[in-house]
Amino acid sequence: MAFHRHTSIFLSLLIVLFETGLVKLAEVGYLKDHQNFEIPSVLSYQEAQYKSESSSKQKRLEISSFKTENRKTEKNKEIIKTNTTTPPVKDSLETALYRVKAADDSTCIKLKVDAILSFKYLTKLNEIQDKETFIPTGATVTGDCSDEDKQNLVLRWHSFVLKWYFSKTPGGERWFVPKIELKYDPSDSFFEHIKSSGRSSFTLSSSSSHSNYLFPTPVGKSYKCDREIEVELTSSQTHTVASLFLRDFKVEPFIFKNDEFGPEYMCAATGSGTYRSETAPLIVGSMLAAACLLTISGYAIYRYFNIEKVQYDTME
């Protein structure tokens, strides 16, 4: 009996072990067929949840960046749309250098400047509109140096024509700018909503009075100014006014030695560098000299007759 009992227990253990082995073999075979299979656990669940949250955040970031790019694109489209009304003028990041050649191909006028034109004009709604434009570095340059005492330089771009006049003083010791003129076409698309006047062009100019001559400089020297200079351009025939702003400014006409600028003649600390006519000081000085001469002559005559009379009385 005892032998049969031990035998049955032993057989039962063998059966249990055999079944366990079959289960393990089955699991091993399944894993070989499904290598990516993972047994669910708390850690794997957390990792999956973290991956899901990361992907959702990434999607949100992508959507946000997409919206930002859309806004940038729309803004750029708006800027391009507003600028298409006027032909683009290249911003003068570098100072432009313009020169006029004489008949012998030598340089007679040199102008170095970073210039801006600022306009104020009346719109169709009777409002004042402000508009600015750079004078491009690629502007067409012409001029006339045939006269020894008068020269000019002309800059053309789009519908604008800017003309500089240069003259010498009567004695020929100094040169100056008696006038700057700007010719423009009010129908140009640059002047948006401008009030029509029926004319195809207007000319604005600086003051041509003797008391407002610009940039007086000894002949043979270049006028240089590092500060910004403003020159007002007006006309009695239109309400439009303009201001010519000159920065990093250097100019010299009547060049006769070489193609380079002459010694620099620096501008004053303030003001626009105007030239005052020498006629009035000359007249005042002459009057003072004449008055002094008459006073001295009268006193000498008075002394002469007074001394003669005293000597005559003494002799009697």
Side-chain angles (χ1 to χ4, degrees):
M1 294 292 294
F3 175 77
H4 287 291
R5 188 181 302 116
H6 290 299
T7 302
S8 60
I9 293 171
F10 179 75
L11 291 174
S12 299
L13 289 173
L14 286 177
I15 292 170
V16 171
L17 291 173
F18 180 75
E19 290 177 354
T20 304
L22 290 176
V23 172
K24 293 295 182 182
L25 289 173
E27 289 178 357
V28 171
Y30 182 82
L31 288 175
K32 286 182 179 180
D33 295 335
H34 302 81
Q35 292 181 357
N36 296 329
F37 175 81
E38 294 181 0
I39 301 174
S41 63
V42 174
L43 181 61
S44 62
Y45 175 75
Q46 290 178 347
E47 290 178 351
Q49 187 176 8
Y50 175 75
K51 289 179 180 178
S52 176
E53 291 177 355
S54 298
S55 63
S56 62
K57 288 180 180 178
Q58 184 66 25
K59 287 180 180 179
R60 286 196 296 271
L61 288 173
E62 288 177 357
I63 292 171
S64 176
S65 63
F66 178 74
K67 290 181 178 179
T68 304
E69 290 298 327
N70 269 350
R71 285 195 294 269
K72 289 181 179 179
T73 304
E74 290 174 0
K75 186 175 180 181
N76 289 335
K77 286 181 179 178
E78 290 177 359
I79 294 173
I80 293 172
K81 187 176 180 181
T82 57
N83 287 340
T84 51
T85 57
T86 303
V89 176
K90 183 180 179 181
D91 291 355
S92 182
L93 299 178
E94 295 182 357
T95 304
L97 179 62
Y98 311 102
R99 66 178 70 209
V100 178
K101 296 283 188 177
D104 59 355
D105 202 37
S106 62
T107 300
C108 55
I109 303 175
K110 286 187 75 172
L111 171 63
K112 177 186 175 187
V113 67
D114 179 10
I116 298 175
L117 276 171
S118 178
F119 290 90
K120 289 182 183 294
Y121 59 88
L122 197 64
T123 65
K124 297 175 182 178
L125 300 177
N126 291 326
E127 297 176 347
I128 301 297
Q129 178 73 32
D130 295 331
K131 204 74 180 290
E132 290 184 352
T133 180
F134 284 87
I135 299 179
T137 57
T140 302
V141 185
T142 57
D144 183 8
C145 298
S146 58
D147 195 318
E148 293 183 358
D149 296 326
K150 294 182 179 180
Q151 296 181 351
N152 63 71
L153 178 148
V154 183
L155 299 175
R156 289 183 172 86
W157 74 102
H158 300 324
S159 64
F160 300 102
V161 179
L162 185 67
K163 189 171 185 178
W164 296 64
Y165 293 87
F166 302 95
S167 297
K168 289 182 181 179
T169 55
E173 296 87 5
R174 289 173 175 265
W175 64 262
F176 58 94
V177 176
K179 184 172 58 174
I180 298 177
E181 286 184 347
L182 174 67
K183 187 177 180 180
Y184 70 94
D185 183 359
S187 63
D188 192 294
S189 58
F190 173 82
F191 298 98
E192 294 180 339
H193 311 298
I194 190 171
K195 191 172 184 178
S196 176
S197 59
R199 292 186 54 174
S200 60
S201 65
F202 286 98
T203 300
L204 308 177
S205 66
S206 61
S207 176
S208 58
S209 65
H210 291 288
S211 60
N212 289 315
Y213 287 164
L214 300 170
F215 320 131
T217 306
V219 173
K221 292 187 176 182
S222 59
Y223 184 90
K224 187 178 189 309
C225 202
D226 294 327
R227 64 179 176 82
E228 185 178 83
I229 297 176
E230 179 182 0
V231 180
E232 293 185 357
L233 307 175
T234 59
S235 173
S236 59
Q237 299 178 350
T238 177
H239 295 290
T240 301
V241 296
S243 293
L244 176 63
F245 293 95
L246 307 172
R247 298 177 296 188
D248 193 13
F249 176 54
K250 192 174 184 179
V251 62
E252 183 182 1
F254 306 106
I255 300 175
F256 57 90
K257 291 183 179 179
N258 51 46
D259 291 349
E260 302 301 325
F261 282 113
E264 294 177 353
Y265 183 82
M266 298 300 297
C267 64
T270 57
S272 58
T274 57
Y275 164 73
R276 296 190 179 277
S277 175
E278 297 174 354
T279 304
L282 182 61
I283 294 174
V284 173
S286 300
M287 292 176 63
L288 289 174
C292 292
L293 182 60
L294 289 174
T295 302
I296 294 171
S297 299
Y299 180 73
I301 294 171
Y302 168 77
R303 290 288 296 172
Y304 174 77
F305 285 107
N306 189 35
I307 292 172
E308 288 293 331
K309 186 177 181 181
V310 170
Q311 289 179 351
Y312 180 76
D313 293 340
T314 304
M315 288 176 65
E316 288 181 350

